[in-house]
Amino acid sequence: MMHWQERLNLYGKEGIPCFFLIDYAKHSPCVYPLESLPSEIRFAFGTPLVSLHQSARPLPLEWKKEAIPFEVYHSKVRALQEEIAQGNCYLANLTQPTRFLTQASLGEIYEAASAPFKLLYEGKFVCFSPEPFLEIQGERARTFPMKGTILNAPGAKESLLGNPKELAEHVMVVDLLRNDMGSWAQEVRVDSFREFSLIRTLRGEIWQTSSIVSARAPRWRERLGDILDRMTPAGSITGTPKRRCCEILEHLEEYERGCFTGVAGVFDGESLRSFVLIRYIESSPTGELFYKSGGGITIDSDPFKEYEEMLEKVYVPIF
């Protein structure tokens, strides 16, 4: 059987348009030619390089959330900060599941949500991500590390920009993505640093900051699968150093991320567009819905503020 990397290398070399989904731990990546995409998979990109199954009119949506107790989350943050204090890592993205109570189905949530990237895997999960991952057009490759979230309020942007912990976190993620791109591309540079984007939700507005890292990528199509293998999991949802962070988080999080914080995207035969699977709701075997979210933890993190940020990210963006 051809591995997913080999299949993407082949499709890239032959210019075959395809969709791919790489789960966080790479246990079950999948690759489909666009012409034979399973009906249970639907996606839409806000500024389309390619777009299938465009969404219909948005539906009303109400929900409640039940998070893990703060005491449980606090113990995980403290354990993670002890790992940082011992020099085992410097930044780690701690995530947890929150029970998401709503009468809406995954499909209805997909229809109601507005986001640059949307993905529905019927019966399994829905994702409405604000975070592009890797884009390649011609020989120019770009990635878009996102770190820094705050509720919109007077002075919120200034508060986020002036927070030393947030700055350190963003710098570390940008450096990680620069290193990841440098392993397969040339002339890596930071084109934009800590730019703001505003997300509107039914519970208010959220500011997020992201940067743009670019590079020159000759002959990338025949290496498409190998490149995505090197770049995943995404640095913005793991930490530094990436491999050690993943090991630590697997022990501390005590649940399976699954496709959450994985990467999905489309190769249209000439160009690549992909995104990180955050803002993600998953259906459990019992039919309960869980919203998976988190944030970056450093030695200076305030556990209560990090807990609040994790819950702030439990939302559905509106039109």
Side-chain angles (χ1 to χ4, degrees):
M1 178 184 293
M2 187 178 295
H3 292 160
W4 66 271
Q5 301 97 319
E6 296 171 330
R7 189 175 299 276
L8 279 172
N9 289 342
L10 176 63
Y11 289 174
K13 182 178 181 180
E14 298 188 356
I16 299 173
C18 63
F19 169 87
F20 58 88
L21 173 60
I22 306 168
D23 57 301
Y24 168 72
K26 303 182 189 178
H27 289 156
S28 54
C30 59
V31 181
Y32 299 102
L34 285 184
E35 64 180 12
S36 59
L37 186 70
S39 59
E40 62 266 26
I41 297 177
R42 300 171 60 192
F43 69 87
F45 292 175
T47 51
L49 182 72
V50 62
S51 182
L52 295 182
H53 311 303
Q54 287 288 354
S55 299
R57 184 173 302 173
L59 303 172
L61 181 64
E62 295 183 357
W63 76 87
K64 295 181 181 179
K65 51 192 176 185
E66 293 182 357
I68 64 169
F70 171 69
E71 293 75 16
V72 175
Y73 180 82
H74 182 271
S75 67
K76 294 178 185 293
V77 172
R78 290 306 188 202
L80 191 48
Q81 288 179 320
E82 181 60 29
E83 295 282 356
I84 296 172
Q86 294 177 10
N88 296 325
C89 60
Y90 308 101
L91 161 71
N93 199 77
L94 179 66
T95 74
Q96 289 291 278
T98 295
R99 193 177 177 210
F100 193 75
L101 305 172
T102 180
Q103 296 299 314
S105 68
L106 294 178
E108 289 172 333
I109 294 171
Y110 174 84
E111 298 289 355
S114 173
F117 306 95
K118 298 203 300 181
L119 173 62
L120 171 67
Y121 202 123
E122 197 69 65
K124 295 186 178 181
F125 69 83
V126 63
C127 175
F128 31 89
S129 177
E131 184 174 0
F133 180 53
L134 180 64
E135 294 182 358
I136 312 179
Q137 292 184 322
E139 287 194 351
R140 179 54 54 185
R142 298 192 302 167
T143 190
F144 309 82
M146 179 178 286
K147 272 295 171 193
T149 303
I150 193 169
L151 289 174
N152 189 17
K157 293 170 70 174
E158 294 76 11
S159 175
L160 185 59
L161 286 178
N163 187 315
K165 178 262 179 185
E166 295 288 348
L167 173 60
E169 186 178 336
H170 199 98
V171 167
M172 282 189 277
V173 171
V174 169
D175 280 345
L176 175 58
L177 267 296
R178 287 174 61 195
N179 289 334
D180 281 355
M181 290 192 78
S183 69
W184 57 271
Q186 304 168 13
E187 302 170 18
V188 180
R189 68 189 189 200
V190 178
D191 292 335
S192 177
F193 186 71
R194 296 187 87 190
E195 296 291 334
F196 278 94
S197 58
L198 183 66
I199 297 174
R200 293 179 173 85
T201 82
L202 294 174
R203 308 288 171 86
E205 297 179 330
I206 297 173
W207 286 110
Q208 296 192 305
T209 56
S210 59
S211 295
I212 300 176
V213 180
S214 71
R216 191 170 67 87
R219 301 177 62 86
W220 62 272
R221 283 171 43 176
E222 62 198 52
R223 302 181 290 145
L224 177 55
D226 298 329
I227 289 170
L228 286 167
D229 192 24
R230 288 190 181 189
M231 291 287 290
T232 54
S236 62
I237 49 73
T238 52
T240 58
K242 185 188 289 189
R243 181 176 295 181
R244 183 64 179 124
C245 269
C246 289
E247 294 171 351
I248 293 170
L249 290 169
E250 182 179 7
H251 171 70
L252 288 179
E253 289 185 336
E254 299 181 299
Y255 85 108
E256 292 292 331
R257 290 196 186 187
C259 288
F260 171 56
T261 65
V263 167
V266 167
F267 170 66
D268 70 356
E270 296 183 355
S271 302
L272 172 74
R273 196 167 191 202
S274 62
F275 61 98
V276 183
L277 274 72
I278 58 173
R279 314 302 183 257
Y280 173 103
I281 303 172
E282 186 174 279
S283 179
S284 73
T286 61
E288 292 181 297
L289 298 182
F290 288 89
Y291 198 122
K292 298 178 178 180
S293 63
I297 306 299
T298 70
I299 195 68
D300 297 319
S301 288
D302 179 323
F304 184 72
K305 289 182 178 179
E306 298 295 347
Y307 184 73
E308 285 187 320
E309 179 179 335
M310 179 184 74
L311 296 183
E312 286 170 5
K313 291 175 179 175
V314 179
Y315 67 82
V316 177
I318 62 173
F319 285 83

